[in-house]
Amino acid sequence: MPKISVIVPVYNVAPYLERCLNSLIGQTLKDIEIICVDDKSTDNSLEILREYEKKDKRVKVFALEKNGGVAIARNTGIDAATGEFIGFVDPDDYVDLDFYEKLYTCAIKTNSTIVKGNGCRIDVNTGRKYIPNDNFQIMHNIGYWHALFVTAIYKRNFLIKHNLRFPSDLCISEDALFLTRVTLQKPSIYCIDDVFYYYMFGRPDHLDSDKLSHKKAVSNSAAHKLLWDAVRNANLSSADMDIWLENHIFMRMRYMLKKKYESKDDHKIAFETLVAIAKESGAYHLIDMMFGSGLANAIKTNNFPLFLARLYADIKWWFLFGILPIIKVRRLNNKPRTYVSLFGIIPLLEIKRGKRFYLFNVIPLLKIKG
């Protein structure tokens, strides 16, 4: 029995696949199996997998007969896994070469059901890196763990015992539902900070892209209803209920509501899902804290037009002596414009697309070319 089974769901990721697989076959922990599940790719991803399968006997390739989505691919990997622990890596991501050795060593030493490393988010367009640094909170209460389930290894028997799988009827947010169901079991967890999983984001065709198709929007709303069902049926204390609501539902909904939707109706459905969960949970104190007074008022009154207006307005005040509000800066995120006004009333400046400046929002003042 290998120490760890690493599951890699694959679909049309040929440009990134070798980097991912090289980080896995090069692991300092040699006693692993690498289960690659090709979800009926239409590029040469499967050919690349077959080449690695020939080169390294630890690589096991499963080719699905039809495209079923990432949840089915991961579940196929779970069913095929024989390792003591299970890990997950997305095919456009990669890990440190000692990632699994450090996680496994810690798991044995601490007798933990789950051991979590650190995550590093990398914007593929800018190269900018972001490290959440939330492991300390997660060690205090596992409910704070709301993202990057791939940064951990899980005892296979734990997943089997609690029938923890990815919901195959969702095309988005299936990972969020999986992680929420895992954390609600409150397994023992240990976190280490000095080893990294590198999560690449920003690709237009990425599952977590800025735009949501109608299919993804429907799946997203369905996922949050299931998330709420899981949380409210978990017999949590009031303090834990707040932690799971904030981190697993409201935080994610706030993030998803800022995305671009295929239609206004899809956006409205997402908003109404939030309104319903807020009402059923009665957690308006969390809504006030997380969304701010303007958005919170729109949620409480189920006012979608007001919500949109507030959502796309980024308002900042400049204070004279840190006390007197003098200048108000209002940036519309859905339109490339910024408005600057005196006391929030007298128009001073309008900036369009960061290139054209209008005095009093009317008189052309400056144009920047290039």
Side-chain angles (χ1 to χ4, degrees):
M1 180 173 68
K3 291 181 171 65
I4 299 178
S5 299
V6 184
I7 297 169
V8 185
V10 176
Y11 179 70
N12 289 356
V13 285
Y16 321 100
L17 194 49
E18 291 188 10
R19 178 183 62 191
C20 174
L21 294 176
N22 287 339
S23 77
L24 296 179
I25 65 174
Q27 286 293 303
T28 54
L29 180 65
K30 301 302 180 185
D31 190 9
I32 64 174
E33 64 177 355
I34 303 165
I35 300 174
C36 302
V37 183
D38 182 75
D39 193 22
K40 200 63 177 180
S41 295
T42 57
D43 64 1
N44 66 324
S45 292
L46 182 56
E47 287 81 359
I48 294 172
L49 293 177
R50 293 299 187 196
E51 287 299 317
Y52 275 85
E53 188 178 36
K54 291 177 184 177
K55 291 189 297 184
D56 195 318
K57 64 180 181 180
R58 298 173 300 170
V59 178
K60 301 176 181 179
V61 178
F62 295 82
L64 301 183
E65 294 183 359
K66 64 178 182 179
N67 178 256
V70 67
I72 289 177
R74 290 193 185 116
N75 289 341
T76 300
I78 293 174
D79 292 338
T82 61
E84 183 183 355
F85 285 82
I86 289 179
F88 301 90
V89 177
D90 286 341
D92 48 350
D93 301 336
Y94 62 100
V95 294
D96 282 337
L97 294 180
D98 58 352
F99 187 75
Y100 289 112
E101 181 177 13
K102 286 188 174 180
L103 295 189
Y104 183 79
T105 300
C106 181
I108 299 304
K109 182 179 180 180
T110 62
N111 193 29
S112 299
T113 302
I114 298 173
V115 176
K116 181 185 178 300
N118 221 331
C120 179
R121 298 176 185 265
I122 303 177
D123 189 326
V124 298
N125 299 304
T126 65
R128 185 177 179 182
K129 297 181 179 180
Y130 169 69
I131 300 173
N133 287 327
D134 54 2
N135 280 349
F136 177 79
Q137 275 191 312
I138 293 169
M139 285 278 286
H140 176 69
N141 189 316
I142 198 172
Y144 288 110
W145 186 18
H146 63 273
L148 290 182
F149 78 97
V150 286
T151 56
I153 58 173
Y154 309 76
K155 270 191 177 176
R156 183 166 62 91
N157 289 342
F158 163 74
L159 298 182
I160 294 171
K161 176 183 177 181
H162 297 286
N163 193 28
L164 293 165
R165 296 291 190 273
F166 294 85
S168 58
D169 54 340
L170 299 178
C171 66
I172 190 174
S173 300
E174 80 296 326
D175 55 343
L177 189 55
F178 171 80
L179 182 56
T180 298
R181 288 172 172 170
V182 165
T183 57
L184 285 172
Q185 297 298 327
K186 295 191 175 181
S188 59
I189 186 171
Y190 200 93
C191 300
I192 54 179
D193 294 330
D194 63 342
V195 67
F196 286 89
Y197 180 106
Y198 299 94
Y199 172 78
M200 315 301 289
F201 72 96
R203 289 194 293 113
D205 57 341
H206 196 277
L207 280 174
D208 194 23
S209 62
D210 287 336
K211 297 180 180 179
L212 288 184
S213 65
H214 174 70
K215 182 180 179 180
K216 287 183 178 179
V218 170
S219 177
N220 180 57
S221 291
H224 282 99
K225 291 175 184 177
L226 291 171
L227 284 167
W228 169 228
D229 284 343
V231 170
R232 69 176 168 182
N233 292 325
N235 195 28
L236 297 171
S237 67
S238 59
D240 277 347
M241 176 64 77
D242 277 1
I243 290 173
W244 261 269
L245 274 172
E246 177 184 348
N247 291 277
H248 291 260
I249 298 180
F250 293 150
M251 186 182 295
R252 183 171 180 82
M253 297 190 86
R254 183 180 63 184
Y255 168 72
M256 298 301 288
L257 277 163
K258 288 186 176 181
K259 288 183 177 290
K260 298 175 183 176
Y261 286 75
E262 193 172 286
S263 73
K264 191 173 181 179
D265 287 341
D266 288 342
H267 205 167
K268 186 177 181 181
I269 290 171
F271 169 74
E272 289 175 344
T273 302
L274 170 60
V275 169
I277 294 174
K279 184 177 180 179
E280 290 174 18
S281 66
Y284 288 117
H285 59 294
L286 294 178
I287 296 294
D288 289 335
M289 177 186 73
M290 299 181 67
F291 288 86
S293 59
L295 288 174
N297 183 52
I299 295 167
K300 293 173 184 177
T301 58
N302 194 10
N303 190 329
F304 181 59
L306 176 61
F307 181 83
L308 283 184
R310 293 287 187 176
L311 180 69
Y312 292 130
D314 182 11
I315 299 175
K316 292 182 173 63
W317 280 95
W318 293 4
F319 291 83
L320 184 64
F321 307 121
I323 301 174
L324 301 175
I326 301 296
I327 296 176
K328 179 183 179 182
V329 182
R330 182 171 181 259
R331 180 171 60 87
L332 298 184
N333 295 329
N334 64 334
K335 296 179 180 179
R337 295 184 179 183
T338 300
Y339 299 94
V340 181
S341 55
L342 188 63
F343 307 117
I345 302 173
I346 304 172
L348 294 180
L349 197 66
E350 178 186 353
I351 308 168
K352 293 184 178 180
R353 300 186 183 276
K355 300 285 187 179
R356 296 173 182 264
F357 295 74
Y358 294 83
L359 187 62
F360 307 124
N361 299 352
V362 177
I363 304 171
L365 182 66
L366 189 66
K367 180 181 179 181
I368 302 175
K369 290 187 175 181

